[in-house]
Amino acid sequence: MTSVHLYDTTLRDGMQGQGMSLSAAEKVRVVRALDRLGVHFIEAGFPSSNPKEEELFGLLAGIELETADVCAFGMTRRRGAAAEEDDALRTLVSSVAPVCTLVGKTWALHLEKVTRVSKEENLAMIIDSVSFCRGHDKRVVYDAEHFFDGWRDDPGYAMECLRAAVTGGAGNVTLCDTNGATLPGEVAAATASVVAELGERVQVGIHAHNDAECGVANSLAAVEAGARMVQGTINGVGERCGNANLVSVLPALQLKLGFDCVPADRLKLLTETAHFVDELCNLAPDHDQPYVGRNAFAHKGGMHVAGIQADVRTFEHLDPELVGNSRDVLISELSGKGSVVSRAERAGIELDADAAGRAVERVKEREHRGYHYEAADASFELLLRREAGSYLPLFRLESFRVITEKRADGGVETEATIKVWIGGQRYVRTAEGNGPVNALDKALRSAITDLHPHLADIELVNYKVRILDEHQGTGAVTRVLLDSSDGHTGWGTLGVSENIIEASWEALVESLEYAFQPKDAGAESTQPVTSAGD
Ligand SMILES: [Zn+2]
């Protein structure tokens, strides 16, 4: 079977999308999820273009991946300066990533109007930059920016740019439809020409944008014309109308076109991975999303259901289980018994068949109320522990109270009082904070760290709130997603309530309770943030 490589750029191009923002620790969680799915290349970003990226590459240095290579992204050198004198390129080759992805100009319009570089100098910039990275033992992916627009204007020069990258030693040249302007027929024709000339010497890739809603179609057309790498993002996130959606590209390549992309058991993680990235980005998963949406294989109406019962092929384009989705419209992929058992195993929790059955029912019931556990691994684990009988409560709540006072001079003050029982002892604590959640956190910590001092070091790194409109019938429901870290590992918890403070409290308590549970030495329950230095 012929292989096609998947190149994910969710963490770089995808982050250009409106409202997209992930912390370094969250990006590491995405890297791990993509690696588990079997993606071949993960573009992490520009090394040290800002402190967040620097932190990310630092964290990635301590991580071993199973299937993926990390790619660092940068540009060809500045004009009129040697590659080795270009600070950005030097930073790029000194990063931990084994692959450097270099983007460069291909379209004369950009050379004239944007960079004001001659065609000859542009070719020299490509050769120098690629060979500089090769000289530092990096594999080089060359992203030919605006390739299809350049091809339309001047195919000879567009091809010259690719030849320059090959001369410099690039292992891959990727044809970018940066403006998303091109339609599949043209993508196929141009790609076929490139493959005919360079396909023996270099792998050809496709990087499509979705402005004409052809991101996926263009990617598939390019592969059918001989491209062997597809760049895209999970769920098609990205600037303007987004990038090619790898979540749709992958099953089409593998299940419909017969290419070898990822092992079948990893392809089953597709639905889970797509929803995980949505949840982490604080986006509501699209129920109508092809392959992975809740409705993708839902059947309504008598004739469809009867057809499905007679033969699933009557109304289904493929077997939903192959991509980790379900015909039965389970509330989520987590509510299957198999996935509950495997998640428990991963966390080192012993769960017998009865407990697993109860956990499934509990997940279904809670998901109906707005709990979605894809990005809340720690809350999910606590749920399993409760059913397995291995849950240790941290404290017993008697009550809490929060007061927020707004003054005429504009000042706002918040104070929280909690009354809890810990180890047979009653604690009453009051704390001030910069908001109700912060005040509650401080008050609770001051009570519990008396007996459990290690819980003082837990940091709340991220707090996200979403109003779930799917529950409008019963009044708006607030969901809070909280990411915590002890400096070594990170975990996610959630809370759901009509009251935002109660939802926050639930997520906060679960965060601390999770850290309090005894950990099985062999368990891989949380996402290691780093193993560097320890
Ligand atoms: Zn792009």
Side-chain angles (χ1 to χ4, degrees):
M1 251 202 303
T2 309
S3 297
V4 172
H5 288 150
L6 299 176
Y7 182 112
D8 180 274
T9 182
T10 305
L11 299 179
R12 204 268 310 167
D13 228 2
M15 288 298 119
Q16 307 299 316
Q18 288 291 317
M20 296 292 287
S21 168
L22 292 175
S23 68
E26 287 172 323
K27 287 183 177 178
V28 171
R29 293 179 70 187
V30 172
V31 167
R32 290 198 167 274
L34 292 169
D35 181 54
R36 194 173 281 165
L37 177 64
V39 165
H40 307 89
F41 298 99
I42 302 172
E43 192 173 87
F46 305 86
S48 66
S49 67
N50 64 45
K52 204 157 130 181
E53 300 289 331
E54 203 172 342
E55 186 190 357
L56 172 62
F57 279 90
L59 294 174
L60 290 173
I63 282 174
E64 260 187 51
L65 299 177
E66 282 176 42
T67 64
D69 280 328
V70 171
C71 309
F73 183 85
M75 279 180 269
T76 51
R77 66 161 172 81
R78 285 173 289 125
R79 65 174 165 181
E84 49 274 13
E85 284 159 20
D86 189 302
D87 286 345
L89 275 177
R90 288 223 301 259
T91 310
L92 192 67
V93 294
S94 63
S95 96
V96 295
V99 181
C100 289
T101 300
L102 287 173
V103 62
K105 299 290 178 194
T106 321
W107 188 10
L109 180 73
H110 264 256
L111 296 177
E112 284 158 28
K113 301 274 165 86
V114 183
T115 56
R116 303 217 175 93
V117 166
S118 72
K119 284 182 172 181
E120 295 68 35
E121 171 72 351
N122 183 54
L123 295 176
M125 284 160 64
I126 297 171
I127 298 182
D128 290 356
S129 310
V130 173
S131 58
F132 175 71
C133 296
R134 290 289 297 132
H136 287 80
D137 276 342
K138 302 291 187 180
R139 279 164 70 188
V140 177
V141 171
Y142 181 72
D143 275 6
E145 194 187 39
H146 298 288
F147 174 80
F148 295 96
D149 303 293
W151 179 268
R152 211 172 290 128
D153 273 8
D154 185 350
Y157 186 70
M159 190 65 98
E160 273 298 303
C161 295
L162 301 182
R163 283 190 206 111
V166 176
T167 303
N172 172 290
V173 290
T174 288
L175 316 180
C176 303
D177 188 26
T178 311
N179 289 356
T182 315
L183 301 179
E186 202 179 353
V187 165
T191 306
S193 299
V194 172
V195 170
E197 182 181 328
L198 299 175
E200 302 268 290
R201 296 165 66 194
V202 72
Q203 182 188 57
V204 175
I206 176 77
H207 175 115
H209 277 264
N210 205 36
D211 300 72
E213 215 177 7
C214 290
V216 171
N218 284 343
S219 304
L220 300 177
V223 171
E224 289 189 291
R228 291 295 175 258
M229 181 211 264
V230 177
Q231 298 194 3
T233 61
I234 297 297
N235 302 324
V237 296
E239 65 188 316
R240 306 188 310 275
C241 313
N243 285 60
N245 182 359
L246 284 184
V247 172
S248 293
V249 169
L250 167 56
L253 287 178
Q254 188 145 327
L255 301 175
K256 292 173 186 287
L257 293 174
F259 289 101
D260 181 23
C261 297
V262 303
D265 57 329
R266 290 182 188 265
L267 185 58
K268 289 185 180 164
L269 300 173
L270 186 68
T271 299
E272 179 182 328
T273 308
H275 293 184
F276 167 72
V277 171
D278 267 339
E279 295 291 347
L280 212 56
C281 295
N282 210 15
L283 300 168
D286 176 5
H287 293 335
D288 300 335
Q289 186 174 344
Y291 298 99
V292 299
R294 187 183 292 181
N295 300 339
F297 299 95
H299 301 287
K300 244 188 196 167
M303 191 180 75
H304 282 213
V305 172
I308 288 293
Q309 279 162 354
D311 187 332
V312 292
R313 288 171 303 177
T314 51
F315 286 102
E316 273 177 8
H317 71 117
L318 53 78
D319 178 356
E321 290 193 3
L322 297 174
V323 293
N325 207 337
S326 165
R327 176 177 308 127
D328 304 325
V329 203
L330 294 180
I331 289 173
S332 86
E333 64 281 0
L334 290 175
S335 49
K337 204 163 175 177
S339 43
V340 162
V341 170
S342 76
R343 285 286 287 254
E345 266 170 22
R346 249 195 263 157
I349 299 168
E350 279 183 41
L351 200 65
D352 61 29
D354 283 355
R358 286 196 306 273
V360 168
E361 287 314 306
R362 189 123 182 88
V363 170
K364 283 186 187 173
E365 173 254 316
R366 289 173 75 83
E367 288 195 333
H368 186 68
R369 286 159 49 197
Y371 289 80
H372 288 272
Y373 288 97
E374 285 85 354
D377 47 348
S379 287
F380 189 67
E381 200 180 307
L382 286 172
L383 181 149
L384 296 180
R385 279 185 185 277
R386 286 189 184 99
E387 297 307 331
S390 59
Y391 159 76
L392 289 180
L394 176 57
F395 64 89
R396 185 166 62 79
L397 177 71
E398 186 180 305
S399 66
F400 73 69
R401 181 171 58 211
V402 187
I403 300 163
T404 295
E405 183 181 8
K406 170 93 171 164
R407 300 217 187 85
D409 66 5
V412 179
E413 285 191 2
T414 305
E415 185 184 298
T417 301
I418 64 155
K419 298 173 186 174
V420 293
W421 291 80
I422 309 169
Q425 176 98 31
R426 183 169 185 261
Y427 289 78
V428 179
R429 292 287 156 91
T430 294
E432 291 174 324
N434 58 22
V437 181
N438 181 244
L440 276 171
D441 180 38
K442 283 182 170 172
L444 180 59
R445 295 263 202 137
S446 90
I448 59 178
T449 49
D450 244 22
L451 278 175
H452 310 293
H454 71 286
L455 297 180
D457 300 331
I458 291 164
E459 228 189 304
L460 308 180
V461 282
N462 224 317
Y463 172 80
K464 289 174 187 163
V465 175
R466 195 190 309 161
I467 306 300
L468 302 177
D469 54 11
E470 57 198 285
H471 297 266
Q472 260 164 358
T474 56
V477 171
T478 305
R479 193 181 66 173
V480 167
L481 202 56
L482 195 63
D483 288 323
S484 308
S485 167
D486 60 6
H488 301 282
T489 59
W491 60 91
T493 53
L494 87 166
V496 174
S497 170
E498 288 178 17
N499 181 310
I500 187 170
I501 293 177
E502 196 191 1
S504 306
W505 168 261
E506 185 181 10
L508 172 68
V509 168
E510 295 225 320
S511 164
L512 298 173
E513 286 205 316
Y514 174 78
F516 172 68
Q517 303 303 307
K519 291 287 176 300
D520 182 88
E524 181 223 333
S525 53
T526 51
Q527 314 259 350
V529 171
T530 174
S531 56
D534 62 23

